[in-house]
Amino acid sequence: MNPIKKAPLALLLVLSACGGSGAVGGGPRDAPIRSFATGPIYSACNASDRNAASRSLCGCIQASANTILSKGEQSRAVQFFRDPQKAQVVRQSERASDERFWKRYKQFVDVSERACA
């Protein structure tokens, strides 16, 4: 796959993979209860034009962000919702700080995919 498409794809995977059943409020009795939080990721997720975005999903993604990313890292990740190309620039950067951030961001994506499914 073209490397330029990988970063936005990771963001889309977070939103689409987390959009299944089991949402808080009105789901089946045996549905897992998701964590929920509000914050910058929640707001950016809700403002996105992705079909999978919902209040429940975005709250779950924010709760995952709160466990992995610092406030500053969350602010940085919000930029990826607005401009997925920025994620690609960070991913390809050779700066040590960008590499550290990208590792944590990938960890956040992985946690979100599992927690919000």
Side-chain angles (χ1 to χ4, degrees), residues 37-106:
T38 58
I41 300 281
Y42 171 83
S43 298
C45 175
N46 271 324
S48 74
D49 61 356
R50 291 165 182 85
N51 291 335
S54 69
R55 183 180 181 280
S56 173
L57 172 62
C58 294
C60 181
I61 293 170
Q62 178 67 57
S64 296
N66 289 349
T67 66
I68 304 296
L69 302 175
S70 70
K71 297 282 186 196
E73 290 169 333
Q74 289 181 34
S75 295
R76 194 170 182 192
V78 163
Q79 297 174 17
F80 300 167
F81 282 85
R82 295 182 192 126
D83 183 2
Q85 179 59 31
K86 287 186 179 186
Q88 182 62 21
V89 169
V90 171
R91 190 187 73 78
Q92 290 183 317
S93 172
E94 293 184 16
R95 291 176 43 194
S97 61
D98 286 343
E99 289 179 25
R100 283 190 305 273
F101 170 73
W102 190 253
K103 282 184 180 181
R104 291 181 56 78
Y105 180 78
K106 283 182 60 173

